[in-house]
Amino acid sequence: MRDLDAFEDALIERFRQHPVLAGTGRLAEADFAALLLQRRFVSLAFTPSYDLAIDLLSDEAGLRIARAILREEYPDGRGHTRSHREDMKEDLLHLGISREELVASRPTGATRRAIDEAFALIADAGGHEDADLRLLTFLRFWGEVLVSVEYEHLWKRMEPVLAGEDGRNRSRFYYPHYVHDAKAHPLTAVSLLSATHSDRLATRISDLLARRGGAEAFRETEERALHLKAAFYDQFLPALDRVGARQP
């Protein structure tokens, strides 16, 4: 299991060093807004991704964890509280992106591929004998661990606006997800008391790996998830070229 933790941590660091993520602070305002608007479409695909995986899961313990995480996206069944997606919209408005820009935005080809390929990867995972391990690994790494890395970088750019001089954090979406999606503990040290989404899913993944093996499936799934994330951000490399910030 320690080998898998080392493998995963290396993937996380690779993603953290993606030129666009590492250069987020140098993007022009218009390019940063364009990135956020495109990333919004990927976020909108989060809940159907969970729904698709839940349909294909057969492991009851894993299903309960996935269902609980999905239900947190809609915290009030009576309609008095905003969903997480609405919280994202509020953060975008506070960052200066107008409603008119939200209305006019459309997913690019690269964004559509990132979403479609995520759905395809989930469907493919469901066809394997070790489907439960692959599905939970994908949900955790694509939908939680790497999301926290993304928002870690985005938050550095957002913080001066959403957590101003008065010290009050006004972020309802990006900062909370940066915190509660993160990998807080190695696979060998997670427990049912773990608070983050990543670690809650990791409790079941660790059990499946210990009982049934599947290290290669774990590695393959995480590699493919990282490729999807990196490909999405590749579309913004020209924005770095425009400010001379792309790393060699």
Side-chain angles (χ1 to χ4, degrees), residues 115-183:
I115 295 168
D116 291 345
E117 289 177 15
F119 291 153
L121 201 157
I122 292 169
D124 178 69
H128 288 262
E129 289 186 9
D130 52 2
D132 291 323
L133 173 63
R134 289 173 182 266
L135 290 165
L136 293 173
T137 296
F138 182 77
L139 290 182
R140 174 179 171 271
F141 201 60
W142 175 86
E144 311 292 348
V145 174
L146 295 183
V147 169
S148 179
V149 175
E150 291 174 83
Y151 293 171
E152 171 191 355
H153 283 285
L154 298 181
W155 178 247
K156 292 174 184 176
R157 175 73 178 256
M158 299 172 175
E159 186 174 8
V161 178
L162 295 181
E165 294 181 1
D166 60 3
R168 179 184 165 210
N169 191 333
R170 296 171 178 80
S171 175
R172 300 179 61 92
F173 179 81
Y174 291 101
Y175 183 78
H177 281 75
Y178 158 42
V179 173
H180 74 56
D181 290 349
K183 176 183 179 179

Side-chain angles (χ1 to χ4, degrees), residues 11 68-69 71-72 101 130 151 154 163 184-185 229 232 235:
L11 293 186
I69 291 172
R71 280 158 174 74
E72 289 177 16
E101 288 175 296
D130 52 2
Y151 293 171
L154 298 181
H185 300 90
K229 290 287 188 180
F232 169 81
Q235 69 180 300

Side-chain angles (χ1 to χ4, degrees), residues 82-95:
R82 286 190 290 244
S83 71
H84 285 188
R85 253 28 60 182
E86 293 173 275
D87 287 338
M88 174 178 58
K89 181 201 71 175
E90 291 301 311
D91 275 5
L92 292 174
L93 293 175
H94 282 124
L95 287 165

Side-chain angles (χ1 to χ4, degrees), residues 208-226:
L208 292 173
L209 285 167
R211 291 194 295 124
R212 304 177 191 173
E216 189 54 41
F218 177 91
R219 292 189 184 94
E220 177 192 335
T221 301
E222 290 205 338
E223 283 272 15
R224 293 177 70 184
L226 176 61

Side-chain angles (χ1 to χ4, degrees), residues 70-83 86:
L70 180 59
R71 280 158 174 74
E72 289 177 16
E73 300 297 307
Y74 305 97
D76 176 12
R78 295 181 297 172
H80 299 299
T81 305
R82 286 190 290 244
S83 71
E86 293 173 275

